[in-house]
Amino acid sequence: MKNSIKTLTVAVALASTIGTLSFAAAAKQVPGEALDYYAPDRTAHQVGAEVVDLSGKGQEALAQQLATLHRLTPEQTVLDIAVNAVENNKAIAPKYAGLMQRQAEIKGVEVHELYAAIAQADWDINKSFVTAGDDLAILQGAAQSMRGCTTLAFAETGIVAQNNDMDINNLLTAETTVIKTDERIFLATDGGHFQGMGKHVAAVLNFMGEPSAPSATIDTKNVVTPDAVFAAITASKSVEDAFNKLKDYTTPVAINFTVADDKGDHGAIEMTTKGTRLVRGESGIGHGNHTAEMRETFLEDKTELEANMTFADTFAREDAANMFINYAKERTVRGMQFILEQKPLNLTKYDSDFVTVESMVFDTKAGCAYVSGDNPKFGDYTKVCFN
């Protein structure tokens, strides 16, 4: 009996040592290297997010800060569409429009050029679908560029979250920075307002694009840019208030904004050239890179597996997100963070360079944001609160 116990003890110790060695070997891996699909492990590129606290410093300090950020170079079509957005952006988010105007003065450019630079990234992704047409092989290649970003909101909790999925080079070349002001906590992209929260409402996004609705043209007069949409939502007093501001407008390409407010309301505001609508779920909502109509179309002559393979897990992520939302017992920030680490919602380097580069959870009732500087499977969240 004693020999059996001794043998068992040695075996356990050996297994522990092997496990430690295995973990140590895995931990030496760095972003960009292929990982195990179900049990990926590597060192974090950035632990938590950097915070720029501009509380009490006013609009001028914020304009000066945003004016220093890198911007894409917009193409002529996007510039033409952005001209139509200038007055519309003022209508839905007047204070933010003033901030952008001040940035334009600092940089010595027209304000529509700044709006166009912000809209260019989604336009680039969308172009691959426009050129694909009905060619399945090209379409599948295009789908790789929209294989990520899953958004979720718990009903009644005021909690909304997102896995932000991009090419891994975005992780390696840009640090995650959170900007805090007296009114908002948000991520700035290309010098504009993106995922964030105000004192009552928070918002995150999914790209949907041409598969879900035609893109805008120079003749689309009711266009607004996504940064102004975020500003409008986070300046609202409720989800319903935000939707009422946006219901008559469209973004240059189809985009969904998943939202939650401090009264417990939630929803997905899908903005397309076919119309803008607010979709809610019973327990909350999970959203992928498509509308319900787009999914239904692809399932007319394909199995769910075939459709999901064509569009690189967008349907799988939507189903998984809603399964977690519907059955999660811990409807808390930690509960949401757990969901964001699960497959297939969380993308780690495996068969593609398109990965989860950061995640965020906004708790509107507590007034706190949680933002990771890398895939949260490898690092921690930084907590930023209004108070």
Side-chain angles (χ1 to χ4, degrees):
M1 181 67 178
K2 288 182 179 179
N3 287 336
S4 297
I5 293 174
K6 183 184 294 184
T7 301
L8 179 60
T9 302
V10 171
V12 170
L14 180 60
S16 177
T17 301
I18 292 172
T20 301
L21 291 173
S22 176
F23 177 82
K28 292 179 181 178
Q29 291 189 282
V30 297
E33 296 181 6
L35 303 173
D36 181 273
Y37 181 80
Y38 286 108
D41 196 9
R42 63 164 170 79
T43 55
H45 172 70
Q46 179 185 357
V47 178
E50 296 181 2
V51 180
V52 176
D53 191 349
L54 298 178
S55 302
K57 296 184 179 179
Q59 284 279 90
E60 180 62 21
L62 180 56
Q64 293 288 345
Q65 174 70 29
L66 295 178
T68 66
L69 300 183
H70 166 78
R71 284 177 161 83
L72 297 178
T73 301
E75 60 190 73
Q76 190 59 50
T77 301
V78 183
L79 285 165
D80 293 340
I81 292 172
V83 170
N84 292 340
V86 174
E87 293 303 317
N88 296 331
N89 285 352
K90 287 181 183 178
I92 66 169
K95 189 170 182 179
Y96 177 75
L99 175 70
M100 291 296 283
Q101 182 62 51
R102 178 62 185 129
Q103 278 199 75
E105 294 168 359
I106 294 169
K107 297 182 74 65
V109 299
E110 297 294 324
V111 71
H112 78 276
E113 296 178 51
L114 300 186
Y115 288 132
I118 289 168
Q120 184 64 43
D122 291 322
W123 194 264
D124 284 338
I125 298 172
N126 195 59
K127 281 194 300 186
S128 60
F129 291 98
V130 176
T131 57
D134 295 325
D135 189 311
L136 184 59
I138 299 177
L139 188 62
Q140 285 181 309
Q144 295 299 314
S145 63
M146 60 164 276
R147 67 179 290 168
C149 292
T150 306
T151 57
L152 311 94
F154 285 139
E156 301 178 359
T157 66
I159 296 173
V160 64
Q162 172 182 354
N163 272 347
N164 193 21
D165 304 329
M166 304 176 73
D167 188 279
I168 199 164
N169 286 333
N170 287 274
L171 171 65
L172 301 175
T173 59
E175 300 298 297
T176 298
T177 301
V178 179
I179 295 179
K180 177 185 174 183
T181 70
D182 295 325
E183 300 171 339
R184 293 184 179 92
I185 300 170
F186 68 97
L187 279 71
T189 302
D190 291 320
H193 188 317
F194 271 73
Q195 299 96 328
M197 65 185 296
K199 290 299 182 71
H200 302 286
V201 189
V204 291
L205 88 163
N206 287 112
F207 171 89
M208 295 191 297
E210 197 83 0
S212 291
S215 52
T217 69
I218 191 173
D219 297 320
T220 305
K221 301 303 181 185
N222 66 332
V223 69
V224 290
T225 52
D227 56 320
V229 173
F230 274 118
I233 293 172
T234 55
S236 299
K237 298 197 179 300
S238 67
V239 166
E240 199 70 35
D241 178 30
F243 174 66
N244 286 333
K245 291 178 183 178
L246 301 172
K247 63 184 179 182
D248 296 324
Y249 297 95
T250 183
T251 41
V253 299
I255 297 179
N256 166 70
F257 299 86
T258 297
V259 295
D261 67 30
D262 59 355
K263 301 173 185 62
D265 197 6
H266 79 284
I269 302 176
E270 296 178 345
M271 300 189 71
T272 78
T273 53
K274 292 182 177 180
T276 291
R277 65 189 179 193
L278 175 60
V279 183
R280 293 182 176 92
E282 184 174 326
S283 301
I285 194 165
H287 208 288
N289 305 109
H290 60 274
T291 59
E293 291 82 4
M294 181 271 219
R295 178 171 180 154
E296 183 179 359
T297 297
F298 269 80
L299 290 177
E300 287 177 356
D301 58 357
K302 297 179 182 66
T303 64
E304 287 191 334
L305 178 59
E306 290 170 336
N308 186 62
M309 292 292 285
T310 301
F311 274 96
D313 289 349
T314 183
F315 306 126
R317 287 184 290 104
E318 178 188 48
D319 288 349
N322 280 304
M323 185 70 73
F324 279 118
I325 287 291
N326 290 336
Y327 293 100
K329 291 183 177 180
E330 294 290 335
R331 308 178 71 78
T332 61
V333 168
R334 183 64 195 107
M336 188 65 85
Q337 289 173 340
F338 172 83
I339 295 172
L340 294 176
E341 293 183 15
Q342 308 310 308
K343 300 289 184 179
L345 310 184
N346 187 290
L347 305 181
T348 52
K349 178 66 183 286
Y350 177 68
D351 62 346
S352 169
D353 283 337
F354 209 87
V355 300
T356 298
V357 298
E358 63 198 0
S359 300
M360 57 216 72
V361 181
F362 298 104
D363 183 349
T364 59
K365 291 190 176 183
C368 293
Y370 302 78
V371 182
S372 72
D374 192 344
N375 187 320
K377 292 183 75 70
F378 312 126
D380 297 321
Y381 288 87
T382 293
K383 180 180 180 181
V384 187
C385 300
F386 282 117
N387 299 314

